[in-house]
Amino acid sequence: MAVTVWALSRARRQRIAYEARLTAWAGERAAQAERLRIARELHDLVSHGLGLITVRASAARYPGAGDDSSAALSDIERIGRQTTTELRRMLNVLRDSADVAAPLRPAESLHDLPAIIQDAERAGPTVTLELGEIDDISSGAQLAVCSVVREALANTARHAGPTSANVYVRRDGDWIVTSVRDEGPVDGWTPHPGAGHGIEGLRERVTAIGGIFQAEHVENGFRVTARIPETS
């Protein structure tokens, strides 16, 4: 009887210790995931905003762009203000994260695609949007589509300048296929590479929700394709 009581007591202590270690491990994993999420958000805000400012200034100087300096300065001021506002909002969220769980920005949907494309076109590329017959897409899938389009067009603006690009979003069974293809850099354009984390960040986001991501050179241009599960 004494041995049985001792064994049960020891097993209970071991189980409690194991559960404590498991809880600590889960907490650390959650903290790591949150740090990665914040790092991605910071990359999106800083790299996208400041990258657009740089590319917009370069596009205005590009021969034959047909842009006047006042329009370029107006766009640069607008993008700078938006980026600054988003950074302040993020800092407030980080400061208050112990008490308030707030999103860094409103969730985007397919209705935001024209505005995303319009912002990209201010940086140089001429973009054509083709939407297939898509209805009743989950909000998570729509948000992923917007992220893919924004980052892919930002890369086009940096690397190819005022070129032509095509955005195509369609349904393929239980998948939402998003493709962004550009025609390659225009003559005389000097690439403005970012930190190099944009495409990899997209790959991580798409694969994290069970999707398939591909980025490849096609002829003289570049194509990004994301197959996003509709249940995202």
Side-chain angles (χ1 to χ4, degrees), residues 196-230:
H197 303 304
I199 292 296
E200 286 308 310
L202 274 184
R203 189 187 307 278
E204 290 177 5
R205 289 187 180 193
V206 173
T207 55
I209 60 176
I212 302 170
F213 182 85
Q214 185 175 17
E216 59 186 343
H217 291 279
V218 179
E219 297 178 353
N220 295 327
F222 195 78
R223 180 172 62 197
V224 168
T225 305
R227 294 178 62 85
I228 300 166
E230 204 286 317

Side-chain angles (χ1 to χ4, degrees), residues 130-178:
E130 299 181 37
L131 286 176
E133 294 185 3
I134 300 176
D135 55 356
D136 297 329
I137 300 179
S138 65
S139 57
Q142 294 187 53
L143 181 59
V145 168
C146 291
S147 297
V148 170
V149 172
R150 174 184 287 103
E151 186 62 41
L153 290 179
N155 282 337
T156 294
R158 293 190 190 102
H159 294 278
T163 187
S164 297
N166 182 270
V167 176
Y168 187 32
V169 183
R170 63 182 177 87
R171 181 187 292 275
D172 181 13
D174 293 332
W175 301 88
I176 304 301
V177 181
T178 303

Side-chain angles (χ1 to χ4, degrees), residues 48-49 52-53 56 70-86 115-123:
H48 181 72
L52 279 181
I53 289 174
R56 187 66 181 89
S70 61
L73 289 174
S74 176
D75 285 343
I76 289 172
E77 179 185 11
R78 178 184 56 81
I79 296 170
R81 289 182 183 276
Q82 289 177 348
T83 303
T84 301
T85 299
E86 290 295 332
I116 292 172
I117 289 174
Q118 187 177 18
D119 280 342
E121 287 184 320
R122 291 192 180 98

